[in-house]
Amino acid sequence: MKYEELWKPLSNVYDSGEAKAVARYLLEVRYGLTMTDIVCGGVERLPEEELKELRSRLLQGEPVQYVVGVAEFCGRSFHVEPGVLIPRPETADLCQWIIRKETGERRKEKGERRKEERESILDIGTGSGCIAVTLASELPESKVTAWDISDDALRIAQQNARRNNVHVTFEQRDILSHPSSLIPHPSSKWSTIVSNPPYICPSEQTAMDRNVLTYEPHLALFVPEEEPLLFYQAISRYARHTLHPGGSLYFEANPLYMEALQVLLRQEGFTDIIVRDDQFGKHRFIMGRKGI
């Protein structure tokens, strides 16, 4: 199969530029081909029947990350499959915000807090583990814990921690069930809690890409129409009880409900609230600090 025979049919699913990008991603990740290899006829030396099968999956709209089983995030490689969301560039921006802020604050503190307090990070709804693994990699002094309700997600996240050679403690927890049982002993309070929970309402489906709706897990995407802040409310209440004084709560959120989320955080007693835009100029991230 020639390179053109791989990418041109994909223009029925994507525009031509994106079709080429998808084809190159497939060839690079699955087969290790560079653009130079492609130009020099490297595609023609690959197993044709296998390429046809992979192309067929792409033509059906399956995301290329699921097809090759790998997504890139913050310069690291993560295994993904339909049981978890594909890590988004926006979420990488959230991680970088946390890393910069945590690193700066630790320098400023100069050991004034107890070591275990400033190291405890919790990622709620970890999915592929992209946030937890990234924070554990970039903040190696931290003790990172990650929760998810899904067996598949925890299996994949554990694999990604091993893949990236970091230690993360994974636990199966449902933040919506029996919240009082989730409150740890005071000695295990967190310095930072972060979450990218489900935040899309069913009414927004018409504006979503077909491949997202068809292949990515709805459990990780959607929240009840009448309760758009369902997870934020539960997590904020938990954070109010378990963050140490001055600890930070970070969210990725639906821009449509950012104002309501700010009100919620204030009601739960959080201060110094900051909202940040994603790379597309939408209000996507929010941070609040627990009062001292």
Side-chain angles (χ1 to χ4, degrees):
M1 180 185 294
K2 295 182 179 180
Y3 176 53
E4 289 76 12
E5 294 175 298
L6 176 62
W7 78 260
K8 281 189 176 180
L10 300 180
S11 60
N12 293 321
V13 180
Y14 307 98
D15 63 46
S16 61
E18 192 171 4
K20 290 179 181 178
V22 167
R24 287 197 298 270
Y25 188 89
L26 170 68
L27 294 170
E28 178 183 352
V29 175
R30 182 67 174 254
Y31 300 106
L33 296 188
T34 65
M35 196 62 209
T36 299
D37 296 325
I38 294 171
V39 171
C40 293
V43 180
E44 298 172 39
R45 294 189 287 272
L46 298 176
E48 184 164 359
E49 290 305 312
E50 184 175 275
L51 278 180
K52 286 181 178 178
E53 192 273 331
L54 296 174
R55 184 182 63 186
S56 175
R57 291 172 63 182
L58 293 171
L59 285 170
Q60 294 174 46
E62 184 174 353
V64 65
Q65 293 91 343
Y66 287 155
V67 172
V68 299
V70 175
E72 299 299 319
F73 183 83
C74 286
R76 295 175 180 85
S77 176
F78 288 80
H79 170 64
V80 292
E81 55 188 76
V84 295
L85 291 180
I86 297 167
R88 301 313 203 257
E90 301 95 298
T91 307
D93 292 341
L94 174 62
C95 288
Q96 293 304 318
W97 185 19
I98 296 171
I99 291 163
R100 287 193 297 269
K101 199 164 187 65
E102 293 299 306
T103 301
E105 289 190 358
R106 290 176 189 186
R107 287 176 184 152
K108 185 170 60 178
E109 285 168 1
K110 296 180 180 178
E112 290 177 2
R113 282 199 214 145
R114 290 182 301 139
K115 185 178 181 180
E116 62 268 25
E117 284 185 328
R118 69 173 184 264
E119 286 184 345
S120 300
I121 298 174
L122 174 63
D123 173 25
I124 298 179
T126 195
S128 67
C130 63
I131 292 176
V133 169
T134 298
L135 296 181
S137 298
E138 298 292 332
L139 301 170
E141 294 182 357
S142 300
K143 298 175 182 178
V144 180
T145 300
W147 294 352
D148 208 288
I149 191 175
S150 164
D151 289 328
D152 284 340
L154 290 171
R155 170 181 56 81
I156 294 165
Q158 288 168 342
Q159 180 178 339
N160 283 322
R162 292 191 296 269
R163 183 187 190 107
N164 288 280
N165 196 32
V166 297
H167 176 73
V168 176
T169 300
F170 292 100
E171 299 176 0
Q172 189 167 37
R173 299 284 192 108
D174 179 3
I175 192 67
L176 300 182
S177 298
H178 309 296
S180 61
S181 68
L182 299 175
I183 298 176
H185 186 274
S187 64
S188 63
K189 285 187 177 180
W190 315 104
S191 62
T192 300
I193 295 177
V194 56
S195 184
N196 177 19
Y199 59 66
I200 301 173
C201 290
S203 61
E204 298 177 71
Q205 291 188 40
T206 55
M208 297 174 66
D209 292 336
R210 179 174 63 87
N211 59 352
V212 174
L213 289 172
T214 302
Y215 291 97
E216 300 201 54
H218 286 203
L219 178 67
L221 287 169
F222 293 107
V223 69
E225 190 79 35
E226 66 279 6
E227 296 181 279
L229 298 181
L230 174 67
F231 288 94
Y232 298 96
Q233 186 173 45
I235 294 168
S236 298
R237 185 173 298 121
Y238 173 76
R240 174 165 57 87
H241 286 101
T242 60
L243 278 170
H244 67 58
S248 300
L249 174 61
Y250 293 86
F251 284 126
E252 182 172 329
N254 190 329
L256 295 174
Y257 301 102
M258 191 60 79
E259 289 188 14
L261 182 52
Q262 291 179 68
V263 171
L264 171 63
L265 289 178
R266 291 191 187 97
Q267 290 174 342
E268 291 294 336
F270 287 88
T271 61
D272 302 328
I273 295 171
I274 300 173
V275 174
R276 285 201 171 183
D277 290 354
D278 62 20
Q279 58 190 289
F280 307 107
K282 295 183 177 181
H283 295 335
R284 182 70 63 185
F285 314 115
I286 189 167
M287 186 276 287
R289 193 178 301 279
K290 181 179 177 179
I292 298 176

